[in-house]
Every structure is written in structure tokens, then in C-alpha cells.
Amino acid sequence: MPRAYVPQALSRQPWQVIIPLTLLTLFGGAVLYSAAGGRWQPWAAMHIIRFFGFLTMAMLIGRVPQEWFKRIAMPGYVVLCVLLVLVELIGRIGGGSQRWLNLGFMTLQPSELMKPGIVLVLAWFYSMLPLNEIRAWRAIVPPLVLLGIPAALVMLQPDLGTALAISFGALVMMFLAGLPMWLFVGGGLAGAIAAPLAFFFLLHDYQRKRVLVFLDPESDPLGSGYHITQSKIAIGSGGFFGKGFGNGSQSHLDYLPESHTDFVFATMAEEWGMLGGLFVLAVFAVVFTWGLKVALRAPDRFSRLLAAGMVTTIFFYVCINMMMVMGLAPVVGIPLPFLSHGGSSMMTNMICIGTIMAVDRWSRPQRGRLA
């Protein structure tokens, strides 16, 4: 079809990343279909429907002016903090944690939304801060307060994985904003000293057990080490080409826990093998490359920080989940974007994608003037 007949709103969409993400989500739907024993319900159909619904949302976010993002940064942050407090007061308990709010039409996990929320508020904060104050206390103390409030509320749920994700996004934003390197080196040393104290006095029993099992999964193969052991068996048994679609014994015989959420990559690897894993990695490489290019050509400080922070948020999901299912990181309950079943995580990642789309659109007039 000639370009003249394509609506401008569609022709300007970043199809170079939308098409790979759509293929990845459909692939995830096939994995969830198999994990459910060859049924579209309860996971596969909803997974695909959610993606296209949230893709529409992402496209709409991509049309939002920059000024609107700046205006909602602090109010949005406050609303999310209030929602986290409501989780503590009236939240729904599931899997031993209190993380969700029942809104009637959907179950919302506010801590998921805080991942892009902390990126947005810090991008706004550093865009408002004069460059000559980037090494002063004003560049350090307020962001730490902005981080500390939601991180503490999420730890109360308790949800260590999400608290780490929020903290990681915030620290990356502080690094990209130009804070002096000695702060991060000193913080790393302080963290190394405080880690043993946190292990014994701050972590819950099940969280301590996860760390110990990560160090030695075979010490309790039928108890705390069961998840990691079965995940590695599933991934290893898939080989290069996999056992074939619908032939994953670990997930179908219920040996692999959470085969549709946290350990969906192991479910996929058993049936699709290393080839399936390479496809997943290739799509994420396309997303990260696109996002970083958008950040590099962004027209101003706010846009650069915002786009880079959203890429970092998605990267943390992918990196930690894959390391977790392969036994390279403790089990912390972080889903794999666009493959794992879950509405809150899908919404969060599509908010990140939509925000990067918006930054990409803000850059176009600038590029046109330079040309």
C-alpha cells in the first residue's frame, strides 16, 4: 500500500520494535497454551488480549506532550505512594504476601507501577536541578528520600524483588544524571558491609532461605531448592532444538512450579530449546537497542533520562528473571516481560514502551530542524 494512504498516526509508529514485540507475545501465548495442557484458558488468551490492549495504551502514551509528563511526575508519585499505603491497609494477600488492590474490574499491584514511576519523578527532578548543583546535597538527599519511601513500603509487603527493581532504576537515574562516582563506590562498599547485617536482621526467613538455596540448591532439592533445581532440569533437557511444542514433561507433570509466571522461560526452553531462547534474546536486543538510540538522540535532559530509565526498567526485568531461572540469582519473583502471565507486569512494561515512543516523537521536530 502506498505510504500516502497510510494514516500518519500509524506510519509514525516504531514498527521496527512493535512487530518483534508482537511476535514475542504471540510466542509467549503459545508457551502459556502448552503450559495449560493445550488450552487457551486461563493464561494464553488473556495474555494476548492484554498485550493488544496495552499496546493501544502505549501508542496513546506516545502521543502525550512532554509538558504533561512533567506535570504528572510528582502528583503521580504521590498517588502511587498512597496506593502502596492502601496495600498495607486493605490489600489482598496471595502467596504469603500482601501486594494487590482489588479494584473490582481488575487486581492492581501498585508496586509494579512504581518502577516507571520512580524513573519519571527522578527524570523530572534532575531536569529541574541546575547543572552546577549536581554535586551538591540537593542532588543526593531528595532523590534518596523519593526512593526510600516506596522501597520501604514495598519491603513491608514483603516483596524484595520489586524493591530491588525500584532501587536499581533510581540508582541508574542518579548515575546518568551525573552524580560523582565516589558516591556509588562508597555506597557499594557500605552495602557490602551492611549486607550481612541485613541478611540476619532485616530479611524474612523465606528470603534468607532463598539466598542460602541460591548458593547451594542441592542442599534442599525437595524443599527450598526445588524451584531452581527443576528449572535447570527443564532448561537443560530442552537441548538445542527442544522437546517439541506441547512435549514439556517438567511443566506438564507439574514438576516445575510457577511454569506460567516466574519460570516461564524454563517452560519455553524445555520445548523450544536453545533456538527459542536465542529468539527471545534477539527480540529483547532489538528493544534495548531501539530504546538506547531514542535516549541518545533525545532533545533535552529530561527526555534522555526518561528514555534511558525506562530501558533500564525493562532490562532489570529480563536480566534478573533469566538469571533466576538459570540459578545465577536468588528466586525473587520477577516475571519475564511479554512471556510471563500477569496483567500488572504487562502494563508496567508497556508503559515503559509507550514512554520511549513519546520521547522518540519529541525528538522528531528537533531532528527536522537540524536537517
Side-chain angles (χ1 to χ4, degrees), residues 81-203:
C81 287
V82 171
L83 291 177
L84 289 175
V85 173
L86 290 177
V87 167
E88 290 299 312
L89 298 176
I90 60 172
R92 183 175 67 85
I93 298 176
S97 299
Q98 190 169 337
R99 305 177 185 175
W100 296 272
L101 286 175
N102 189 348
L103 303 180
F105 62 95
M106 69 173 291
T107 302
L108 179 68
Q109 186 176 351
S111 58
E112 282 288 327
L113 294 177
M114 185 55 80
K115 295 173 184 177
I118 195 70
V119 169
L120 174 59
V121 74
L122 288 182
W124 167 79
F125 174 83
Y126 282 117
S127 70
M128 301 294 290
L129 187 73
L131 289 176
N132 60 358
E133 294 188 13
I134 198 63
R135 294 179 177 271
W137 68 269
R138 294 182 185 86
I140 304 169
V141 176
L144 289 178
V145 173
L146 290 171
L147 166 61
I149 294 172
L153 290 171
V154 172
M155 283 295 293
L156 289 175
Q157 296 179 1
D159 189 353
L160 178 61
T162 301
L164 289 174
I166 294 171
S167 301
F168 180 79
L171 291 175
V172 168
M173 293 295 289
M174 296 168 74
F175 176 79
L176 294 176
L179 266 64
M181 182 60 69
W182 66 265
L183 283 173
F184 299 95
V185 175
L189 293 175
I193 295 172
L197 297 176
F199 178 83
F200 288 107
F201 298 107
L202 295 181
L203 296 185

Side-chain angles (χ1 to χ4, degrees), residues 50 76 85 137 164 173 176 187 223 230 263 302 326 331 352 361:
R50 280 172 176 162
V85 173
W137 68 269
L164 289 174
M173 293 295 289
L176 294 176
Q230 295 300 321
F263 289 88
F302 174 75
M326 291 185 284
V331 177
C352 294
R361 190 177 66 85

